[in-house]
Amino acid sequence: MASASTIHDPKLAQQLVLDELFDLSLYKALRSVTQPDVHHTLDELIKVETSHLAFWQKFFNLNLDELNLGRRIKLSFMMLVCRIFGSTAVHLVLEAIEVHGVRKYLALWREYQGKPLGEALRGILMDEFKHEDVLVTELTKRKINPERIRNIFLGLNDGLVEILGAVSGFFGAFGSATTVLIAASTTAVAGALSMAAGSFLALNSEKEVKTTELAKKVFLGEESEMSPMEESPMGSALVVGTAYIIGALVPVLPVLVGAKDALFSVLTAGFMVILVSTILSFLSGMDVKRRIVLNLVIITVAVSVSYAIGLAAKQIWGIAV
């Protein structure tokens, strides 16, 4: 009988083995830089990943024990971030790794259902759901608020894209850097206030509904798994508004230091979009390349359309500043 390594795509076999080897290497490396309260969780994760690695190596008859260059660079970068930002970064990394693992294995399981690989994936997923995911969730829920972290980067992204579009449109219409700076700054402040107000109202409404539901269940003597909201509407509004302003500064700063057109704003915004997209993709388990390309397409469209509208306004209404 042919071995699994010859039946399945060799690239897929190598990916699965190296992914487990990467996770195992990461958990071992994290144990050396974390506090003792995290060691039990990491020890359990190391135990599970060791068994997963051995399983895939046997399943594919593929004994790889060294990471490739790309994964070594990724491991070094993640460890550097964890050393700089401490426990918060460690918890985010652990959660993100679990999200990526679950999504990857679920997608493969759907593709290979009814086949030997699909049955093998079922066992791995049971471990993910019943053991690894539970361990990481219990650790991170006490330490961080991943939704707040994601909101920060989403606010940055929104402020960056929207104000970049505004800067491009204003340059097309006015041409004057001073006028563009005033108009873009005003738009940024208005946008930040709007985002903050929207976040406040949404969470405040959700809090009122949840409080009413809890009171109703208490009155009726019913058991409820619902708990009061931990996130403050005002705190959330401040986080979102501040993140938006910081994102908006990226395309505005080149104008502030003397840029005469939108080119430098586009370049700085493009670099920041790549950085933010990479972080968001990692935290949410999305494909990094797909997210970066999507966001770059969005800012390209935003810049092109906004600049065209600005030029059209200048031609039609004869704006001259």
Side-chain angles (χ1 to χ4, degrees):
M1 180 182 292
S3 66
S5 60
T6 59
I7 295 173
H8 299 295
D9 182 357
K11 290 185 178 179
L12 176 60
Q14 185 178 59
Q15 177 194 338
L16 292 177
V17 172
L18 287 177
D19 281 352
E20 294 295 349
L21 180 59
F22 174 86
D23 290 352
L24 177 60
S25 302
L26 175 64
Y27 296 150
K28 286 181 176 180
L30 285 175
R31 198 185 187 288
S32 65
V33 299
T34 52
Q35 298 299 316
D37 62 327
V38 186
H39 288 177
H40 172 70
T41 299
L42 288 171
D43 287 341
E44 290 297 313
L45 291 171
I46 288 170
K47 188 186 302 181
V48 175
E49 290 301 331
T50 299
S51 67
H52 286 180
L53 176 60
F55 175 84
W56 286 125
Q57 287 177 331
K58 182 178 179 181
F59 183 84
F60 292 114
N61 191 26
L62 184 62
N63 294 317
L64 297 174
D65 55 8
E66 184 177 341
L67 295 173
N68 59 4
L69 178 60
R71 284 178 173 83
R72 289 202 299 271
I73 293 173
K74 180 180 177 182
L75 178 61
S76 299
F77 175 75
M78 291 173 67
M79 289 304 301
L80 176 62
V81 170
C82 288
R83 285 190 176 94
I84 293 173
F85 296 103
S87 60
T88 299
V90 171
H91 298 140
L92 284 172
V93 164
L94 290 176
E95 182 184 301
I97 289 294
E98 287 309 303
V99 171
H100 277 276
V102 168
R103 290 190 177 184
K104 175 186 69 179
Y105 282 132
L106 278 174
L108 287 172
W109 178 75
R110 285 193 295 266
E111 183 178 351
Y112 290 95
Q113 283 186 74
K115 301 177 182 178
L117 181 56
E119 291 305 309
L121 287 164
R122 179 183 293 276
I124 297 292
L125 279 168
M126 292 300 289
D127 267 355
E128 293 279 354
F129 292 144
K130 289 187 174 182
H131 197 74
E132 289 190 75
D133 195 41
V134 172
L135 282 170
V136 174
T137 300
E138 286 298 318
L139 175 67
T140 57
K141 76 179 183 180
R142 302 192 303 269
K143 302 292 185 178
I144 60 171
N145 184 339
E147 289 300 320
R148 173 164 291 187
I149 299 295
R150 292 187 182 97
N151 284 341
I152 290 173
F153 286 105
L154 288 170
L156 283 170
N157 191 72
D158 286 347
L160 189 154
V161 174
E162 290 177 20
I163 303 307
L164 176 61
V167 167
S168 302
F170 293 146
F171 264 119
F174 305 131
S176 166
T178 302
T179 305
V180 170
L181 183 61
I182 294 171
S185 300
T186 304
T187 305
V189 172
L193 291 174
S194 176
M195 290 281 290
S199 178
F200 175 83
L201 292 173
L203 271 182
N204 197 49
S205 298
E206 183 181 345
K207 184 176 182 179
E208 290 181 3
V209 170
K210 199 169 186 178
T211 301
T212 301
E213 286 296 317
L214 280 170
K216 176 182 174 182
K217 289 183 180 296
V218 170
F219 175 77
L220 294 173
E222 298 177 356
E223 293 186 1
S224 173
E225 296 182 355
M226 297 176 64
S227 59
M229 290 179 57
E230 297 181 359
E231 191 169 6
S232 161
M234 182 58 70
S236 177
L238 288 173
V239 168
V240 172
T242 302
Y244 184 96
I245 283 290
I246 294 173
L249 284 173
V250 174
V252 170
L253 280 176
V255 185
L256 185 63
V257 298
K260 301 300 182 182
D261 55 42
L263 177 61
F264 288 103
S265 293
V266 172
L267 293 176
T268 54
F271 172 79
M272 187 59 67
V273 159
I274 292 174
L275 178 61
V276 172
S277 297
T278 301
I279 296 173
L280 274 176
S281 301
F282 177 70
L283 294 178
S284 61
M286 291 181 63
D287 180 82
V288 176
K289 292 180 181 179
R290 181 174 179 274
R291 179 93 189 199
I292 290 175
V293 170
L294 181 61
N295 271 358
L296 288 178
V297 169
I298 289 173
I299 67 168
T300 300
V301 172
V303 168
S304 301
V305 172
S306 300
Y307 190 73
I309 291 174
L311 288 177
K314 186 174 185 178
Q315 292 298 321
I316 294 172
W317 290 291
I319 298 174
V321 177

